[in-house]
Amino acid sequence: MKKTNLKATIFRLTLLSMFGAIIVAMTFIPYVGYITIPFGLSITTVHIIVILGAISLNSYSCGLILGAVWGVSCLLYAMANGTADAAIFLDPRISIIPRMIVGVLVVAFYRLALLANKHKLTDILLKVLTIAAVSAFAGLLCQNISHITVASVIVGIVVAILFVSLFFFFEKNKEYMPSLFAALCGTFSNTALVLTAINIFGGGAMVDLFGAIKNIFSVAIALNGTVEILAAAIIAAPCGIAIQKALSKLR
């Protein structure tokens, strides 16, 4: 192995270890990776580090490893927590496999956005689709909680204005859109894959338990989804830009 390749490999492994350690630390430090809310449920924030790591390393294998670290730490957290919502994650098919897939998908979405970013037409199209999808999702979440159509429309419009403002603010930064797109799609993928795994692999008794607290659980999912969307737009994407600049200098 050439000296340059060896340095690059060591550099990549160091970054991978650093992001993995942060994921584990955030998982087990109270109110950091999982913020507890009433009824024993929690909001996840550790996904931000997984997204940042996958984007920074831009490697399918590294995304898979970071997803696996996230999944295993989630399984161990569920064992230590013992609450009703954590119990469902004792199944590795629910806690580990979806998170591994998410790590790979984040890299795929990031590379797709990088390709779209090379051409003005595809870049504009991707931005329009992103704004439409996020606004519709926010409106549906509001409708799920409040059941007030007017409020849902207002929330959708406000979110659309927020994202238009963000795109305008970061217009000259070519890294923002790929980072944002990967963060949003990674967030959606995590929610969709985990809920799908729960429906497929969840045991009968646990399904009945969640059926008994359906309204509480749906509100928690809505709140979680809203927080993760905002985190992806406001935290993950700008941090991704900063990390990429720092890494380019180090390389």
Side-chain angles (χ1 to χ4, degrees), residues 4 7 55 135 138 164 166 179 189 196 203 225:
T4 304
K7 286 184 177 180
I55 290 174
S135 301
V164 170
L166 288 171
S179 299
S189 299
T196 301

Side-chain angles (χ1 to χ4, degrees), residues 2-243:
K2 295 182 179 179
K3 188 175 182 179
T4 304
N5 293 336
L6 178 61
K7 286 184 177 180
T9 301
I10 294 174
F11 184 72
R12 184 176 293 271
L13 289 175
T14 302
L15 285 178
L16 185 62
S17 302
M18 180 189 71
F19 281 112
I22 295 174
I23 292 169
V24 175
M26 286 186 66
T27 298
F28 292 100
I29 296 175
Y31 301 102
V32 177
Y34 298 93
I35 302 174
T36 304
I37 59 178
F39 309 108
L41 302 176
S42 62
I43 295 174
T44 303
T45 57
V46 68
H47 72 288
I48 296 174
I49 304 302
V50 179
I51 291 171
L52 289 175
I55 290 174
S56 301
L57 292 164
N58 194 15
S59 165
Y60 289 116
S61 58
C62 291
L64 183 68
I65 293 172
L66 289 175
V69 172
W70 181 19
V72 171
S73 62
C74 177
L75 175 63
L76 296 175
Y77 176 80
M79 291 180 178
N81 198 359
T83 58
D85 68 308
I88 197 69
F89 293 103
L90 293 175
D91 188 338
R93 296 172 297 180
I94 297 174
S95 59
I96 298 178
I97 295 177
R99 271 60 187 272
M100 294 174 67
I101 298 174
V102 168
V104 175
L105 288 178
V106 169
V107 178
F109 290 131
Y110 179 67
R111 292 187 178 184
L112 177 63
L114 284 176
L115 289 175
N117 204 20
K118 292 181 179 179
H119 304 282
K120 189 172 183 179
L121 181 61
T122 54
D123 181 54
I124 294 174
L125 179 61
L126 189 61
K127 288 179 179 178
V128 171
L129 291 175
T130 300
I131 292 171
V134 173
S135 301
F137 183 72
L140 289 174
L141 289 178
C142 181
Q143 179 68 24
N144 186 37
I145 297 174
S146 66
H147 303 289
I148 301 175
T149 303
V150 175
S152 304
V153 173
I154 293 174
V155 168
I157 293 174
V158 170
V159 171
I161 293 173
L162 170 64
F163 274 82
V164 170
S165 302
L166 288 171
F167 288 143
F168 180 77
F169 184 77
F170 290 101
E171 182 181 5
K172 295 182 179 180
N173 197 311
K174 297 297 183 181
E175 187 64 34
Y176 181 74
M177 185 58 205
S179 299
L180 175 65
F181 185 72
L184 290 175
C185 291
T187 300
F188 289 141
S189 299
N190 176 58
T191 302
L193 289 171
V194 170
L195 291 180
T196 301
I198 289 174
N199 289 328
I200 294 175
F201 303 117
M206 188 56 63
V207 171
D208 292 339
L209 173 62
F210 277 102
I213 56 172
K214 182 179 178 180
N215 292 331
I216 296 173
F217 196 59
S218 63
V219 170
I221 292 173
L223 181 60
N224 200 350
T226 303
V227 171
E228 290 182 1
I229 288 174
L230 293 175
I234 300 173
I235 300 176
C239 286
I241 295 173
I243 291 174

